[in-house]
Amino acid sequence: MNQYLDLFLTFARIGGLTFGGGYAMLPMLQREVVEKRGWASEEELMDYYAIGQCTPGIIAVNTATFIGQRTAGIAGGIIATLGVVFPSLIIISVIAAFIQNFADLAIVQNAFAGIRVCVCVLIFNAVVKLWKKSVIDKPTLCIFLVIFIGSAAFDISPIIFVLLAALAGILLKNKEAAAK
Amino acid sequence: MMIYLQLFFEFFKAGLFAIGGGMATLPFLYDISDKTGWFTYGQLADMVAISESTPGPIGVNMATYVGFTTAGVPGSVIATLGLITPSIIIILIIAGFLKAFKDSKYVQNAFYGLRPASAGLIAAAGFSVFLLVLLDLDAFAASGNFADLVSIPGLILMAALYYFTAVCKKTKGLHPVVFIAASAVIGIVFRFGGV
């Protein structure tokens, strides 16, 4: 299949199947992009997420642009991004036009309460996979714990964590090199 | 024509300055409401609720909704394009930069620190959903009864989903959407939302 079409359709599927924002997209990305198509490795996906956190814009869009660019250049980046927003355009326009009280419907509220449980489990499984690839020694374990606890317990912008972690990575590796 | 240009410009601004995910666009939407009167705060609250309970990135859903409310289908397309244009430009520049410097020791060492950070941030986001799903603080505060604090059906569904997605070899290879659809049905049948 045409690579651009494949990018568009894959990201449209990811956008249309993601419930609950950028983080909930991760299990879908792991399945569609890393495991099925090999467009990026688990590590690269993590890099894109980290950068997507501290650059302007929506994480899901930033990640789509990254993977599209990596797979098929600038046009690929644009097409993947258009793909990821396409289902939203259709679904939201239909709801906005016809169903004013969509979020108040009992069936919608109950379905989403069920979906949230599933999203929680899927994110947990995704984190386990990321953990295996990223927490490889004591310093990386420290970074993980500090940021997990800091981000879960305090209302601090992720940008600060991401910048500090990048700096820590550079300093730790420099120290390691100096010790050798 | 003017309203389309203005829509594009307002959402371009939100896409350029909102950092850290969909909800970060919310203050910009309040600002648009104040400045233009295209929609009220009450309408905005409905839009947020709908954006959270439909598939797709929340920020994109909100842009589409606001655009549609303001100027119909062309408005929804233009607002969404406005929102994603800064992302596309910035990320393409960074991606080009990364490609050029991917062998740089500094870039590689930065990623050594960034990867566990990324995992930690995602774990924290998952943890907040976990608390939301399992703990009913309102019911607990009202009754003071610990039995009201933890959602037992939620816990059972969670354990079952974990078994089928991560332990059971026959089912763990299934597409995530299978489990999402099953959870939606279970949520409806057992009234997980309490309505």
Side-chain angles (χ1 to χ4, degrees):
Chain A
M1 196 183 350
N2 181 313
Q3 195 181 22
Y4 294 131
L5 187 64
D6 197 16
L7 265 176
F8 183 87
L9 293 178
T10 301
F11 275 92
R13 194 157 55 235
I14 292 170
L17 297 179
T18 294
F19 292 85
Y23 292 109
M25 203 167 96
L26 188 64
M28 296 294 172
L29 284 170
Q30 280 178 331
R31 168 57 58 99
E32 295 281 346
V33 170
V34 178
E35 290 163 20
K36 263 168 84 176
R37 290 184 175 70
W39 285 338
S41 68
E42 205 81 62
E43 286 91 343
E44 284 166 328
L45 198 56
M46 252 184 289
D47 300 346
Y48 301 156
Y49 255 73
I51 295 170
Q53 296 267 345
C54 56
T55 46
I58 294 159
I59 300 170
V61 169
N62 292 348
T63 311
T65 310
F66 249 123
I67 294 167
Q69 194 275 348
R70 210 208 110 143
T71 309
I74 290 174
I78 294 170
I79 286 166
T81 307
L82 292 178
V84 87
V85 303
F86 182 71
S88 291
L89 277 176
I90 307 282
I91 295 167
I92 295 288
S93 294
V94 169
I95 289 175
F98 299 111
I99 322 172
Q100 289 301 336
N101 59 344
F102 180 80
D104 300 328
L105 300 174
I107 190 167
V108 173
Q109 286 190 14
N110 286 329
F112 268 85
I115 288 174
R116 267 202 293 275
V117 177
C118 188
V119 166
C120 188
V121 173
L122 292 176
I123 292 180
F124 179 79
N125 293 340
V127 169
V128 170
K129 280 186 205 168
L130 295 186
W131 164 285
K132 286 180 190 155
K133 300 273 183 177
S134 64
V135 179
I136 44 180
D137 49 20
K138 273 191 194 138
T140 46
L141 178 63
C142 284
I143 293 174
F144 176 87
L145 288 176
V146 166
I147 289 185
F148 171 63
I149 295 166
S151 176
F154 305 103
D155 189 18
I156 303 174
S157 164
I159 310 166
I160 294 172
F161 289 121
V162 167
L163 293 179
L164 284 179
L167 191 65
I170 293 172
L171 292 178
L172 285 166
K173 281 282 179 187
N174 269 357
K175 217 175 118 195
E176 213 174 86
K180 269 180 195 164
Chain B
M1 197 59 219
M2 262 320 282
I3 196 163
Y4 295 141
L5 276 178
Q6 208 183 343
L7 259 179
F8 186 88
F9 176 72
E10 289 295 339
F11 278 93
F12 186 91
K13 244 178 19 190
L16 185 59
F17 294 115
I19 302 182
M23 277 305 165
T25 51
L26 199 54
F28 291 90
L29 299 183
Y30 280 114
D31 184 49
I32 294 173
S33 167
D34 286 339
K35 264 197 325 213
T36 63
W38 286 336
F39 45 88
T40 63
Y41 282 11
Q43 277 176 302
L44 197 53
D46 290 345
M47 294 180 202
V48 174
I50 289 174
S51 300
E52 286 186 310
S53 42
T54 41
I58 293 170
V60 174
N61 290 349
M62 292 203 286
T64 307
Y65 209 121
V66 169
F68 186 90
T69 309
T70 310
V73 172
S76 70
V77 175
I78 286 164
T80 303
L81 289 180
L83 183 76
I84 66 176
T85 303
S87 279
I88 293 180
I89 296 170
I90 292 167
I91 295 294
L92 286 178
I93 292 170
I94 294 177
F97 175 85
L98 274 188
K99 210 172 183 179
F101 292 94
K102 74 171 190 296
D103 297 325
S104 148
K105 218 175 64 193
Y106 286 107
V107 171
Q108 284 178 353
N109 292 348
F111 279 124
Y112 166 80
L114 274 182
R115 284 172 189 165
S118 190
L121 284 170
I122 296 166
F127 186 67
S128 67
V129 184
F130 175 79
L131 291 182
L132 187 74
V133 164
L134 280 193
L135 298 186
D136 193 342
L137 291 174
D138 290 343
F140 176 63
S143 68
N145 189 346
F146 273 101
D148 288 337
L149 181 63
V150 180
S151 156
I152 303 295
L155 203 61
I156 294 170
L157 178 59
M158 192 172 280
L161 282 168
Y162 180 73
Y163 174 76
F164 287 118
T165 55
V167 182
C168 178
K169 286 208 167 60
K170 269 188 192 151
T171 55
K172 74 177 182 181
L174 291 173
H175 198 285
V177 74
V178 175
F179 302 110
I180 288 179
S183 305
V185 172
I186 291 169
I188 293 167
V189 171
F190 294 99
R191 298 181 182 276
F192 266 50
V195 281

